Amino acid sequence: MASGNSKLPIRRLTLYKHGVGFVEREGTVTGELEVQLVFRQTEVNDALKSLLVLDRQGGQVRGIHYETPGGEFPDENQITLGPDHSLLDLLRSLRGRLVRLNVGEGTTGQEYRGQLVGVEVDPKEPLTKSLVTLLLADENTPAATQVVALPIAQLKALFLLEERAGQDLRFVLDSSRTDEAHRTITLQLNVIPGNPDAAHDLAVSYLMPCPTWRVSYRLIAETASIAAQTDADRQGELLLQGWGLFDNRLEEDLEEVKVRLVAGQPISFIYDLTSSRIPQRPFVQDEARVASGPVEFEAALPPAEVGMMGYAASPSSPSREQSTQTGLRLAKMTMAAAPAAMPLRQAMQNQTVSATGSNLGELFQYEVTAPVTVKRGESALVPILHQTLPYRHELLYNGQKMARYPVAALRFKNSTGLVLERGPITVVEDEEYRGEALIPFTPADGEVYLAYAVELGLKVSEEQTSFTDTTGIRIKDASLYFNQITTLRTTYQLENNLAQPRVVTIEQQIRPGYELSPGTPPTREKTAEFYRWTVNATARQRTTLVVEERMLNWRSEQVLNQDYNQLNEYLKAQWLDAGTLARLKQVLGEQALIVHNSLEISNMETERENLYRRQEQLRQNLTVLATTGDEAQLRRRVFEQLAKSEERLNAIDQRIGQLKNDNQNRQQNLNRLLANLA
């Protein structure tokens, strides 16, 4: 890191899980009114967004300046230099500028002064055969115009005679320095009033991208009395160690820095503050007429500020000032020593505090008590937890997490007063390595299950069946509502092939909408997501646990869609009484007559349509038959047929009217019967 940062060394570093760090620097500056901070280019936006500078001696910060990336104003600075052929690029950019060119060597060299016209580039040999053209400036004959073409290969010197051209070139060169990966932020200080020679006691803080910190745990368990316990009820005391791992990706060493590791996730984002942009505006042509006055629009309201958010801390989390209970002295334990090399009872002789924890609203922080020194580019493990807790041993089965076999688990309450961040843990019990597990994010006073091994000597199989029973019927709004119970039956078969009995905790997920059936064994406990039962698995035998869950629901059918046989079955099942069945049969009888009448009406309407077509055909025949001779006899028969069809049509119309009237009366009666069914 550049020397400017060394004037304000890092005193505190707070690391978050979402990839940012809060850096706090402090230092005294004497005899200077500027302090420079050097950042990687990827860090500048976060620094500008969050930079806070305080002078504890009463001075004020006059301003904060930073470098603007080059090439942000192409319309204002017309000098552009590419990575190749920079001389050609410079000559192109100086078109129209006043310059002086020295061409040739020694006594044959000549000097030319004038406006640069352009560059004629040979595409095959751009540096040896290209020409630069110049409009000469002749003070003696100012009206004369002379353009010369000079070989670029012989160009020895180029002088910029306009001050603005020199400023533009220096700006481009300053903006494209070789150290493009870094940016400098300059803090400009005011002289302290009344004491111009006083030192500035500065405190500077800002956010910057940092690798997320991690946590890993070690667990050293010791059973209370091995001889008096079986594997089924083994319990004792454990030592829980927590180590926070972080990386020093800063460009300086961390020396005696106070480190805080924060569990939680405040909202954070990257906002581009370093890039300067001029938005495009529409180009409007001038018109002959002018407006009576300027037209103005109000500026848009600024966006609402985004607040800091995260997940809520547990109500049982410790207060801001609450610290951890005492743990073992970490200075006596090295990373090279295996945890089992130090028995728990021996380790408990010396105890000290390794870190303190406190709530920060939506967050929780671990503050390492001893200052930390970490070299640039190195990583470190720092102690954040050292606590003794009671525990017990359990066998836990959940087929969704581990099929066929239960897992051996250590169970304990997080009474450390700290939030346990998610991380891996190594389990050592009775000075023997037992396995590894993963601690989930656990608030204070939450319970932890550490499944560290699979118990292969005990096999579990599960079978699930389902069936639906109808328990009753309700009648409402011309519908039958069937009260049904859907039952899910899960049968667990525990086959214990070990020589000793085992106690197994069966865990089953709670299904939304279901409840445990009355005949199911009572649960040992219930969480937000799972039921748990305790099963005593006898040695060398098979033990069964049957769990039934039921869900109540209603199924509806229209009353008019029923039939007599089905209604009789409902009566036999005692879902209907005889009086209700009689009323239902009356409804169905009335409905059957309405259907019969409607069918007859349909048939008669079809017959009437056929008669109309027949009559039309007969009338057409009459128009072609003569009134004398044989055709006269045919005409009489046609008239007879027309008369009979007319009589039938009258009868059909009369019958359809009677049926429709009957259906109307029956429908009214049916509606009354349906209303009285409820």
Side-chain angles (χ1 to χ4, degrees), residues 5 24 32 79 121-122 185 188 227 268 344 370 375 384 390 394 412 426 449 468 484 501 523 568 574 608 663:
N5 287 13
E24 298 176 73
E32 298 182 34
I79 294 180
V121 179
D122 188 303
I185 294 180
Q188 295 186 344
S268 183
L344 180 61
K375 296 293 183 181
I384 60 174
E394 284 193 11
F412 61 91
T426 301
Y449 264 103
T468 300
Q484 295 182 323
T523 59
N568 286 324
Q574 298 183 351
R608 183 170 58 186
N663 271 1

Side-chain angles (χ1 to χ4, degrees), residues 436-482:
E436 299 172 4
L438 194 66
I439 288 186
F441 182 88
T442 307
D445 295 328
E447 196 165 41
V448 179
Y449 264 103
L450 294 183
Y452 62 85
V454 180
E455 178 55 82
L456 299 177
L458 206 155
K459 186 182 298 185
V460 181
S461 62
E462 53 182 299
E463 180 183 359
Q464 190 175 89
T465 57
S466 65
F467 50 90
T468 300
D469 291 325
T470 302
T471 59
I473 294 178
R474 286 180 56 199
I475 302 176
K476 183 180 180 182
D477 298 331
S479 295
L480 294 179
Y481 292 90
F482 297 84

Side-chain angles (χ1 to χ4, degrees), residues 78-141:
Q78 297 178 357
I79 294 180
T80 57
L81 301 179
D84 301 321
H85 306 144
S86 58
L87 177 59
L88 294 175
D89 293 336
L90 177 59
L91 292 172
R92 287 192 186 97
S93 301
L94 292 175
R95 183 175 185 178
R97 306 290 182 98
L98 191 62
V99 299
R100 187 173 76 243
L101 303 179
N102 287 352
V103 180
E105 297 181 359
T107 58
T108 62
Q110 288 185 290
E111 183 178 280
Y112 298 88
R113 184 177 183 275
Q115 280 184 292
L116 200 148
V117 176
V119 180
E120 303 297 327
V121 179
D122 188 303
K124 295 183 179 179
E125 299 183 42
L127 295 180
T128 59
K129 293 185 178 181
S130 298
L131 301 175
V132 55
T133 54
L134 195 68
L135 175 63
L136 296 181
D138 191 342
E139 297 178 355
N140 298 325
T141 57

